[in-house]
Amino acid sequence: MSILGLSFMAASWTHSRILGAKHKVFSWRIDNRGNPFIKRKFRNNRFPRVDNISCIHLGRLYESMLDGEWKSLANDAAKLCMGTEKDGIGKFLYELRPEVSSAQLSSQLGAIFYQAGVWEWNEEKRGVKFLLLSENWQEKTSQYYRDSLNSEDESSFFENVLKPERKEKPEKQKQEVIGEVQINTVQNIEQMKLSAFFRDYEG
């Protein structure tokens, strides 16, 4: 068992939404060393992309936010490539690992750290910024991860328990109706035969 107590959840994904205007859904998990993995679905890709950020890089990001200033996402792909992006979280990640996909993880990290109580969000849909709130970012993030898994397990349980009984298929109902009509028809024919027999007999 690791110091974060996450080894038993190493393969479990939970789900969140990025903040701001888009609210895109993404999946994420934490391995037994505390490194977060983030799964994103891109429009032009058939399969989701999985990226990870090391705890070492997150530790440096944490240190960069100790000045108590609000930090922008700063993850515009074109500006990062041209070197014109303003200082912020995305640009900082890009300098640590010069990949646009890595810098754009700032959106997912922002959502995770905000929900975990590590960062504060300015609650703007555009011009999103974050402020460091807690020094215990590893502990709070791992606890939020565990809580998210437990919450999804409970939701799945109640969904299955409260699931309504499956209704009979229309085809089966149709067959039963046809069967009833056939039985009634046979009974009517037999009744007519008996009535005719007794009428002839009495005559």
Side-chain angles (χ1 to χ4, degrees), residues 15-37:
H15 308 284
S16 295
R17 292 178 180 270
I18 64 174
L19 306 173
K22 296 183 179 180
H23 294 290
K24 290 184 178 179
V25 177
F26 66 94
S27 303
W28 64 285
R29 67 179 178 86
I30 299 178
D31 68 9
N32 55 4
R33 296 182 180 180
N35 302 304
F37 288 74

Side-chain angles (χ1 to χ4, degrees), residues 129-143:
K129 294 183 179 181
F130 296 99
L131 179 71
L132 182 66
L133 286 180
S134 174
E135 297 180 0
N136 301 323
W137 64 270
Q138 285 181 300
E139 180 180 344
K140 282 183 170 293
T141 304
S142 61
Q143 182 61 53

Side-chain angles (χ1 to χ4, degrees), residues 121-158:
W121 170 39
N122 65 352
E123 298 189 10
E124 295 291 336
K125 292 186 177 181
R126 300 190 181 279
V128 175
K129 294 183 179 181
F130 296 99
L131 179 71
L132 182 66
L133 286 180
S134 174
E135 297 180 0
N136 301 323
W137 64 270
Q138 285 181 300
E139 180 180 344
K140 282 183 170 293
T141 304
S142 61
Q143 182 61 53
Y144 172 55
Y145 176 57
R146 287 192 293 268
D147 292 343
S148 297
L149 289 177
N150 292 334
S151 176
E152 291 190 0
D153 288 343
E154 289 177 2
S155 297
S156 177
F157 170 77
F158 284 110

